[in-house]
Amino acid sequence: MKTDKLNIRLFTIEDYDGVIKLWREANIPIRPQGRDSREKIKQQIENGITIFLVAEIEGKIVGVVLGTHDGRKGWINRLAVDVNYRRQHIAVKLVQELEHRFDQIGLDVTACLIEEENSISMEFFKELGFAEWSGKYFSRRKSPES
Ligand SMILES: CC(C)(COP(=O)(O)OP(=O)(O)OC[C@H]1O[C@@H](n2cnc3c(N)ncnc32)[C@H](O)[C@@H]1OP(=O)(O)O)[C@@H](O)C(=O)NCCC(=O)NCCS
């Protein structure tokens, strides 16, 4: 099985190119001139409220999840698995590890925002026992790259 040698660990800035490639291939929106520049990501992993995990197999990054928290709630952001490694529970393992780390800092709620058309992601989170809450997401950005 491809995932025998799966290792989940914290992202380091050396993983940057591999993660950007994976996000692009998984159609995760990225803003390389803004919030996803190497510099911004570096700042983010040092901010104390980010738990950025990668899943690797023999040095190749095959999955990623960007966890953040607000002191009460943990957020699952930008979860993605390499298309050649899907349906092998790599995403499940990434979320389990992230939730374990959320537990360790005393967070009681885990949440994620899913775009309406992303039915696969909805299936995934339902399968993991997440309950659906409907609402509208409002935001204000300093720039389109924010
Ligand atoms: C969503 C995503 C991360 C799932 O990764 P994955 O490693 O393939 O998922 P898992 O193998 O852990 O799936 C666990 C369960 O979720 C459900 N699931 C996952 N992919 C599914 C699919 N394509 N169709 C239906 N159910 C699916 C299944 O119940 C699956 O369990 P099973 O394989 O035993 O039936 C992956 O499809 C992906 O990278 N998608 C593109 C990026 C994206 O949309 N990310 C989510 C942003 S919110």
Side-chain angles (χ1 to χ4, degrees):
M1 195 180 166
K2 280 180 186 170
T3 57
D4 283 352
K5 294 184 177 160
L6 188 76
N7 177 38
I8 293 181
R9 61 166 172 79
L10 284 172
F11 169 95
T12 71
I13 201 62
E14 287 73 35
D15 300 318
Y16 178 82
D17 291 334
V19 165
I20 294 288
K21 182 169 179 284
L22 200 160
W23 274 340
R24 273 191 212 284
E25 288 170 358
N27 289 322
I28 297 280
I30 54 164
R31 300 192 171 101
Q33 308 308 319
R35 68 165 187 205
D36 300 316
S37 67
R38 191 180 289 266
E39 191 50 37
K40 286 278 187 198
I41 295 274
K42 196 162 177 293
Q43 283 171 13
Q44 195 175 358
I45 57 176
E46 288 164 1
N47 68 10
I49 55 165
T50 295
I51 301 172
F52 195 171
L53 299 177
V54 293
E56 65 177 355
I57 295 177
E58 296 181 320
K60 178 183 166 61
I61 293 179
V62 297
V64 56
V65 66
L66 179 58
T68 54
H69 74 89
D70 56 21
R72 185 180 71 88
K73 188 181 290 180
W75 286 94
I76 299 173
N77 309 286
R78 305 166 95 193
L79 173 68
V81 170
D82 184 317
V83 71
N84 297 311
Y85 290 82
R86 289 189 186 164
R87 299 306 286 267
Q88 298 183 73
H89 288 196
I90 292 176
V92 169
K93 288 178 183 132
L94 277 163
V95 170
Q96 283 173 342
E97 177 60 26
L98 184 58
E99 289 197 286
H100 172 64
R101 289 171 188 250
F102 284 159
D103 269 354
Q104 286 178 323
I105 50 178
L107 305 181
D108 292 332
V109 183
T110 310
C112 64
L113 284 170
I114 304 174
E115 288 174 350
E116 300 248 14
E117 62 278 11
N118 197 343
S119 55
I120 290 177
S121 187
M122 288 189 206
E123 281 305 312
F124 172 81
F125 282 102
K126 277 184 200 159
E127 181 66 23
L128 262 65
F130 282 63
E132 183 178 341
W133 180 87
S134 289
K136 294 276 181 199
Y137 173 69
F138 283 67
S139 69
R140 192 201 310 275
R141 291 176 190 279
K142 284 194 173 169
S143 85
E145 285 293 314
S146 298

